Amino acid sequence: MEITFMGTGTSQGVPVVGCKCQVCKSKLSKNKRTRSSLWIRHNSQNILIDTATELRLQSLREDLNSLAAILFTHFHADHVGGLDDIRIFNQRQKEAIPCYANSITMKELKVMYSYIFEKTNMGDGKPRLIANTVEEQSFNLFGLLIEPIPVYHGKLPILGYKFNNIAYITDCSLITNDSLQKLYNLDLLILGVLRYRVHPTHFNVNEALDLIKELKPERTLFTHISHELDHNLLNRELPPRVALAYDGLSISF
Ligand SMILES: [Zn+2]
Ligand SMILES: [Zn+2]
Ligand SMILES: [Zn+2]
């Protein structure tokens, strides 16, 4: 199995349009972050967690040429904004692509992308999806057991996903006890960490470090990062086996 970070940025991306801060002006490629998404390759099948705003550009950059399934964390625009770009996969594969989301996300997706889900005369001119609503029940994708992990993004119930003892939890500010129990002793925790300061709907650096102390993952990578966090500066401060991810980072298992 292999995972690739398609994007590691928060909702506005980094650099932020018009911002002159040190991170936004940085020449370091690891400080350039497109909207967050993860590509999982398993049994020669490609699975995406979220369809980020830059999906087309991310697919070109990483040479993602087919898509077997999509796991949605939630419906916020930065996580679903690239959905129309899956049309090329539908056209080439000549099939609809299954997607998975909790009931709130699925309901919102059907409003935001009504042209996809309603009967139209657009034919191949629109994405074709098979909608699957999931809550906590594990399911099998191409031989990979996927366990949805319910977490809170402010007051919004969203999903993280666990597979192969790896968990992807982004846009999270609270993990209930039931979900915490599923996240101890992971091989890899991928965690959304926005900035140093407290935020009402995202973990900050200190909250993330407290969580890591509790859960004791073998390795942790931060994603969904804002322009307030400089890649090299924060990496130097972080404890061993904790680091910021960056666009294009691939890991094989
Ligand atoms: Zn987000
Ligand atoms: Zn900035
Ligand atoms: Zn969000």
Side-chain angles (χ1 to χ4, degrees), residues 16 19-24 227:
V16 175
C19 184
K20 306 289 182 234
C21 79
Q22 287 307 315
V23 174
C24 288
H227 67 148

Coordinates of all heavy atoms in Angstrom, one line a residue, residues 16 19-24 227, ligand 2:
V16 N -1.7 32.4 0.8 CA -3.0 33.0 0.8 C -2.9 34.2 -0.2 O -2.0 34.9 -0.2 CB -3.3 33.5 2.2 CG1 -4.7 34.3 2.2 CG2 -3.4 32.4 3.2
C19 N -1.4 37.8 0.6 CA -0.7 37.8 1.9 C 0.8 37.9 1.7 O 1.4 37.3 0.9 CB -1.1 36.6 2.7 SG -0.3 36.6 4.4
K20 N 1.4 38.8 2.5 CA 2.8 39.0 2.4 C 3.6 38.5 3.6 O 4.7 38.9 3.9 CB 3.1 40.5 2.3 CG 2.3 41.2 1.2 CD 2.9 40.8 -0.2 CE 2.1 41.6 -1.3 NZ 1.6 40.7 -2.3
C21 N 3.0 37.5 4.4 CA 3.7 37.0 5.5 C 4.9 36.1 5.1 O 5.0 35.7 3.9 CB 2.7 36.2 6.4 SG 2.4 34.5 5.8
Q22 N 5.7 35.7 6.0 CA 7.0 35.0 5.7 C 6.7 33.7 5.0 O 7.4 33.2 4.1 CB 7.8 34.8 7.0 CG 8.5 36.0 7.5 CD 9.3 36.7 6.5 OE1 10.1 36.1 5.7 NE2 9.2 38.0 6.4
V23 N 5.6 33.0 5.5 CA 5.3 31.6 5.0 C 4.8 31.8 3.5 O 5.1 31.1 2.6 CB 4.3 30.9 5.9 CG1 3.9 29.6 5.2 CG2 5.0 30.6 7.2
C24 N 3.9 32.8 3.3 CA 3.3 33.0 2.0 C 4.3 33.5 1.0 O 4.2 33.2 -0.2 CB 2.1 34.0 2.1 SG 0.7 33.3 2.9
H227 N -1.2 29.2 6.8 CA 0.0 30.0 6.5 C 0.7 30.5 7.8 O 1.7 31.1 7.7 CB -0.3 31.2 5.6 CG -1.2 32.2 6.2 ND1 -1.1 33.6 5.9 CD2 -2.2 32.1 7.1 CE1 -2.0 34.2 6.5 NE2 -2.7 33.4 7.3
Ligands
ZN2 ZN 0.4 34.4 4.8

